[in-house]
Amino acid sequence: MFTTMSNSAYTLATAFSTLLLGVWDVSKEAMERGQLSGMINLTALTTLIQVSGVLFVGLLPRTKEDLANLHADPMSGSKIGGFLFLFVTLSSVVYSLVIGVLNIVKPGWAGES
């Protein structure tokens, strides 16, 4: 699950960055003028989004015994939690696909230059 969430976070970060192109000036002209602050801000934000999954590593079981105890716990098989995990993961993938297709089919749709 951790790898799946990490991969989803990467695609979501790149798709999300497309929507943020209008927030900071990341145009070719700005870079030619040497104004890199917009690109640096966008890169920093999308990197934080991508690596945010590391914050949840402490919630993972540390040993095989911890994992076995977690499986034995009657409260560990939450259908709501499983649904939310799958919903967030699949929504991220679908969102990333839609953004990718829009970038190919209709370049400039998000207002970037």
Side-chain angles (χ1 to χ4, degrees):
M1 282 196 295
F2 184 74
T3 304
T4 302
M5 288 304 289
S6 176
N7 293 339
S8 295
Y10 173 73
T11 57
L12 188 61
T14 55
F16 192 62
S17 69
T18 300
L19 294 178
L20 294 176
L21 289 174
V23 174
W24 294 292
D25 188 9
V26 293
S27 64
K28 180 180 174 184
E29 293 80 18
M31 286 186 228
E32 288 173 348
R33 290 188 308 260
Q35 297 174 344
L36 300 177
S37 62
M39 183 61 71
I40 291 170
N41 290 338
L42 185 60
T43 302
L45 179 63
T46 55
T47 300
L48 287 173
I49 292 170
Q50 182 181 351
V51 298
S52 64
V54 173
L55 298 173
F56 299 100
V57 169
L59 299 174
L60 294 172
R62 299 194 189 289
T63 63
K64 288 182 181 180
E65 292 78 25
D66 289 344
L67 184 60
N69 291 337
L70 188 61
H71 282 296
D73 185 5
M75 298 298 287
S76 69
S78 170
K79 290 182 181 181
I80 294 172
F83 170 78
L84 288 175
F85 171 78
L86 289 175
F87 178 76
V88 168
T89 303
L90 294 176
S91 296
S92 297
V93 171
V94 168
Y95 175 78
S96 299
L97 287 172
V98 168
I99 297 296
V101 168
L102 280 173
N103 286 340
I104 293 169
V105 173
K106 191 175 179 190
W109 68 271
E112 70 275 9
S113 58

